[in-house]
Amino acid sequence: MASTCPVDLDTLRLRAEIESIYRQVAIDPAGDFHFHRGPTYAAEMLGYDADALARLPADSTASFAGVANPHRIAPMTAGSTVVDIGCGAGMDLLLAAQAVGADGRAIGVDMTEAMAERARAGATSRGLANVEVRLGDAMSLPIESQTVDVVISNGVLNLTPDKEQAFGEVFRILKPGGQFLYGDIVVATELSESIRRNIDLWTG
């Protein structure tokens, strides 16, 4: 099964389209999008703890557009360093920061400045000094090699044009024996060439 987009797909346009859509989600999470969003969706369909979400800033949870719940895969140990790839407005990131505690670190990476600002503001409003948000891309993470205990990602790596490179970045930054808590969209059969060339289908 192909793990990259067609070689002649305009990946710069693809990146711009993805960034544009998620900038809109950050600014107006109640807008007209074709994917689910928000804390009610997260609690009712993905098994997040509704009470825990209610204690997070509304700006962080309203723009949540993940597809799974990485926090249910395995617990995060206090003192760990966690990286959230495509952290968005910060819902998963802030939950991770709470889990690892003041002695741990939670580093969010997002390509959209509007989302990164939401995540930073959410951390500040909850007094989470162990949170850092960096602008960056899943294809080239702004993280040093073998420095991370846990990587989480929620519905993000499916948007990358080269899955092998994106997964390679995950394993580059993980320490030996580190954990990858990953939720995403997968397909069971090979997609047709026409579908793989459709940028509108890539960007959601």
Side-chain angles (χ1 to χ4, degrees):
M1 185 174 294
S3 61
T4 59
C5 63
V7 293
D8 59 346
L9 188 72
D10 187 343
T11 55
L12 292 178
R13 181 186 162 210
L14 173 62
R15 179 190 171 94
E17 290 286 338
I18 292 171
E19 191 169 357
S20 175
I21 286 175
Y22 287 97
R23 184 186 307 113
Q24 295 172 43
V25 174
I27 295 168
D28 180 21
D32 185 18
F33 303 99
H34 68 273
F35 44 84
H36 297 290
R37 298 167 308 288
T40 301
Y41 152 67
E44 294 182 356
M45 298 185 67
L46 303 179
Y48 282 83
D49 183 325
D51 291 335
L53 298 186
R55 292 190 291 271
L56 296 180
D59 280 349
S60 295
T61 59
S63 296
F64 172 77
V67 299
N69 184 350
H71 302 274
R72 298 187 69 182
I73 300 173
M76 297 178 197
T77 305
S80 296
T81 296
V82 178
V83 167
D84 182 0
I85 301 175
C87 68
M91 192 179 94
D92 281 325
L93 179 68
L94 301 187
L95 292 174
Q98 292 172 345
V100 301
D103 291 332
R105 297 178 68 200
I107 304 169
V109 177
D110 205 89
M111 65 188 294
T112 307
E113 179 63 46
M115 284 291 194
E117 283 302 318
R118 287 276 194 278
R120 293 185 188 113
T124 299
S125 73
R126 287 299 177 267
L128 294 169
N130 62 340
V131 172
E132 179 185 355
V133 182
R134 303 177 184 177
L135 279 179
D137 191 304
M139 303 280 286
S140 182
L141 293 170
I143 308 288
E144 293 182 3
S145 298
Q146 297 188 355
T147 58
V148 176
D149 300 295
V150 182
V151 172
I152 61 175
S153 179
N154 194 348
V156 172
L157 297 188
N158 74 88
L159 300 173
T160 61
D162 187 330
K163 307 299 183 287
E164 290 185 9
Q165 182 174 338
F167 278 91
E169 280 293 279
V170 171
F171 293 107
R172 176 184 67 79
I173 68 172
L174 276 173
K175 296 176 182 177
Q179 293 181 301
F180 182 25
L181 311 182
Y182 168 58
D184 220 317
I185 298 169
V186 297
V187 293
T189 58
E190 184 79 37
L191 297 176
S192 70
E193 189 74 3
S194 63
I195 289 174
R196 293 174 60 228
R197 291 179 183 278
N198 187 332
I199 283 183
D200 289 340
L201 296 178
W202 277 84
T203 55

